[in-house]
Amino acid sequence: LQLTQEASQPDATNPIPDPPKGMSLHDSIPVGMQESNDEDEGLKKTQKKLTKKKLGWGQKKVWQKIPKEDRNRMQEYYLSTQPRDNFWVGLHNEKVTNHDIKDIVWALELSQNVIEAYMQIEGEKIWPMQTYSPQYMSTWTWAYMQSFLEPNWHRALYEHLLEKLRKCNVLFFPVISSSEFHFTLLTFHKSERKWRHYNPLRSLGPRKEAKCIDIAQNFVMKFFFWLKPNIRPQAQEFLETKKIPKLVKQKEGPPTPAQVDLSPNEELTLNWIMQNPYQFPFEDDTKCAQQNSSSLDCGMFVMFYMDKIAQEQPILKSVDKNFMNEYRAQYVTKFLHHKHCVINRL
């Protein structure tokens, strides 16, 4: 397992680097900016006046499906803050802003940070050493896999695979075709020993659809080339020495290779690798429910697919717009009532 120092690495406590503020698939608004000025008394007075007004979202179908008490709490907070202010902040700097909540309610496209927050909330339900559980990979993985040199892939992808592969029953990779502005979902179903790709808009057209499939297949190839030449031949040695080489952050200078103790989950993964083939078939699902061709629901559909698969339920073959409005409303209230919602800290 060859590791070099060819490029700077993310923090060892958070292998996936924090995305640049404001960077998302559909939204260029800097999510970390705070525009409110507590010293500006004029702004305070303006905000107090604004709380007496209404958002003007009353005609939005998603908004109508949110309980009235929740709507009132959200309206008061939204009108007393700024669109770029945080609505929800996770443990690893995941953020959902007021603007993101508006996009959900207005049935607009989602930014990556919303799906990141969703996966953290769902991941909290899983015990640290629980096996046969759904496991989630960051939406940023593919972006960093393209921009980093190969040594960094160990930080962005492979170290996560070592930690998550053995204890999962299914591994989720939300992937993005930035050229098509479209989310799809790649899954590894371990019991079936199969990769499956779910596209909520198969009517993109042959060339665009092929682009989405190519991205998913590239992920699968990275997995194969990680296992065959790098991990499988050395797995027994890693297990015997209880050590594995990783790039470790230094106080000064770039990260350097070091022998690091195997975690319990990494040991389980290595044993699983030794007992199983390293190549698994890939298929493109052709039956999953599809978004309306004029909708901006691809991100919501990817979350919907993950929900159903994680619950070991079949994915519906079709859903209507009313269903997706209900689903959007459910996730707004889920963010609102979650412990990391900013409103709950006030």
Side-chain angles (χ1 to χ4, degrees):
L1 184 61
Q2 298 294 320
L3 299 176
T4 68
Q5 306 176 35
E6 293 183 25
S8 61
Q9 300 297 316
D11 191 293
T13 62
N14 184 16
I16 298 291
D18 291 333
K21 291 181 178 179
M23 179 180 177
S24 70
L25 182 59
H26 305 296
D27 188 3
S28 60
I29 292 179
V31 297
M33 290 180 63
Q34 302 290 334
E35 291 192 350
S36 59
N37 185 348
D38 291 339
E39 297 179 0
D40 188 341
E41 294 300 326
L43 180 57
K44 283 185 177 180
K45 292 178 181 179
T46 301
Q47 289 177 340
K48 288 180 180 179
K49 291 180 181 179
L50 284 173
T51 58
K52 299 179 182 179
K53 297 181 181 180
K54 293 185 178 181
L55 280 173
W57 295 1
Q59 299 304 310
K60 302 300 179 183
K61 300 296 184 183
V62 176
W63 187 247
Q64 294 169 6
K65 295 179 182 298
I66 298 172
K68 184 178 180 180
E69 182 179 347
D70 291 341
R71 295 201 305 264
N72 290 340
R73 290 181 66 204
M74 292 169 60
Q75 177 173 265
E76 181 179 358
Y77 177 75
Y78 192 98
L79 290 174
S80 65
T81 55
Q82 299 295 315
R84 297 181 178 90
D85 287 346
N86 293 324
F87 184 86
W88 183 97
V89 180
L91 292 174
H92 305 296
N93 208 36
E94 302 90 347
K95 292 183 176 70
V96 176
T97 66
N98 287 338
H99 186 82
D100 291 321
I101 294 297
K102 179 180 178 180
D103 284 348
I104 298 174
V105 171
W106 285 42
L108 299 176
E109 62 267 39
L110 301 189
S111 55
Q112 286 175 256
N113 45 302
V114 172
I115 298 180
E116 288 292 314
Y118 155 83
M119 291 192 294
Q120 181 179 311
I121 291 174
E122 295 303 310
E124 287 177 353
K125 302 173 184 177
I126 303 165
W127 309 327
M129 287 299 294
Q130 180 181 345
T131 57
Y132 202 70
S133 61
Q135 296 291 315
Y136 302 86
M137 298 292 288
S138 172
T139 61
W140 296 100
T141 303
W142 179 244
Y144 285 109
M145 291 289 287
Q146 293 179 93
S147 60
F148 280 173
L149 298 175
E150 186 171 354
N152 300 307
W153 296 353
H154 293 274
R155 304 284 296 187
L157 176 65
Y158 303 146
E159 289 182 17
H160 289 273
L161 289 173
L162 270 176
E163 187 66 27
K164 297 180 178 184
L165 186 57
R166 173 58 183 89
K167 61 183 178 180
C168 75
N169 65 329
V170 60
L171 193 58
F172 293 119
F173 296 81
V175 294
I176 301 164
S177 171
S178 57
S179 61
E180 310 305 334
F181 301 100
H182 185 57
F183 287 103
T184 64
L185 178 67
L186 174 66
T187 58
F188 177 60
H189 299 262
K190 196 168 67 178
S191 60
E192 299 179 48
R193 292 180 170 83
K194 182 179 294 185
W195 294 91
R196 190 170 290 123
H197 180 239
Y198 299 87
N199 185 352
L201 190 57
R202 290 192 297 271
S203 60
L204 280 169
R207 292 182 64 184
K208 293 183 178 181
E209 186 177 348
K211 176 68 173 178
C212 295
I213 295 174
D214 284 348
I215 292 173
Q217 289 178 323
N218 273 329
F219 248 126
V220 174
M221 291 302 296
K222 296 288 192 302
F223 179 89
F224 169 74
F225 285 115
W226 168 66
L227 282 184
K228 185 178 179 181
N230 289 312
I231 298 298
R232 188 75 174 265
Q234 301 178 72
Q236 186 62 47
E237 179 186 345
F238 298 152
L239 288 168
E240 290 174 357
T241 62
K242 304 293 185 182
K243 299 283 187 179
I244 192 166
K246 291 185 180 180
L247 288 164
V248 178
K249 185 179 179 181
Q250 306 298 311
K251 290 184 179 180
E252 295 183 4
T256 59
Q259 292 291 321
V260 178
D261 291 340
L262 283 177
S263 73
N265 282 323
E266 289 173 336
E267 286 192 52
L268 290 172
T269 295
L270 289 170
N271 277 306
W272 181 86
I273 287 171
M274 292 180 65
Q275 297 165 12
N276 288 274
Y278 46 75
Q279 215 166 1
F280 304 92
F282 172 94
E283 67 179 34
D284 194 51
D285 186 275
T286 59
K287 297 180 179 179
C288 59
Q290 296 285 282
Q291 68 186 95
N292 186 290
S293 59
S294 62
S295 79
L296 300 171
D297 284 337
C298 61
M300 295 305 302
F301 267 87
V302 164
M303 290 160 59
F304 168 63
Y305 296 157
M306 287 192 283
D307 273 344
K308 288 297 184 182
I309 296 169
Q311 296 164 19
E312 299 184 346
Q313 298 176 356
I315 297 176
L316 301 176
K317 293 183 179 180
S318 65
V319 296
D320 59 21
K321 188 62 179 177
N322 184 63
F323 178 93
M324 291 311 296
N325 288 337
E326 290 273 7
Y327 192 74
R328 283 176 175 264
Q330 289 173 16
Y331 264 92
V332 170
T333 56
K334 182 171 285 193
F335 285 129
L336 176 65
H337 291 283
H338 191 264
K339 61 185 176 182
H340 295 319
C341 181
V342 174
I343 297 178
N344 298 328
R345 303 174 184 175
L346 301 178

